[in-house]
Amino acid sequence: MKKNGIGIIECIHDLRIDEAKRRLQFSEDTIRSIAEDIGYVHYHHFLREFEKRVPEKPIKYKADFESERQFHYLT
């Protein structure tokens, strides 16, 4: 079954990756633990799905927000 041309599995991946993005921005958790917590058994599968939906790797995504938080903390 597809809704708006998107299958249910893709919708689930979208929701999981949205949650991963939120946690990468606001938590100190490791990328691997975030991937496991949101339901990815295989870390490499998480990486593949993340990179399909976000134009950068999770480690870069997390680092960008960490440096931004540090900048705001210092100013």
Side-chain angles (χ1 to χ4, degrees), residues 11-27:
C11 288
I12 291 169
H13 287 303
D14 288 345
L15 290 171
R16 286 177 171 172
I17 298 305
D18 285 346
E19 177 62 12
K21 288 168 36 182
R22 186 188 68 75
R23 292 195 45 199
L24 288 168
Q25 292 174 36
F26 300 111
S27 80

Side-chain angles (χ1 to χ4, degrees), residues 54-71:
V54 182
E56 59 191 354
K57 295 182 182 302
I59 194 163
K60 171 87 168 84
Y61 189 87
K62 184 174 180 67
D64 288 347
F65 283 96
E66 286 175 351
S67 63
E68 187 175 310
R69 278 196 308 268
Q70 289 175 351
F71 175 75

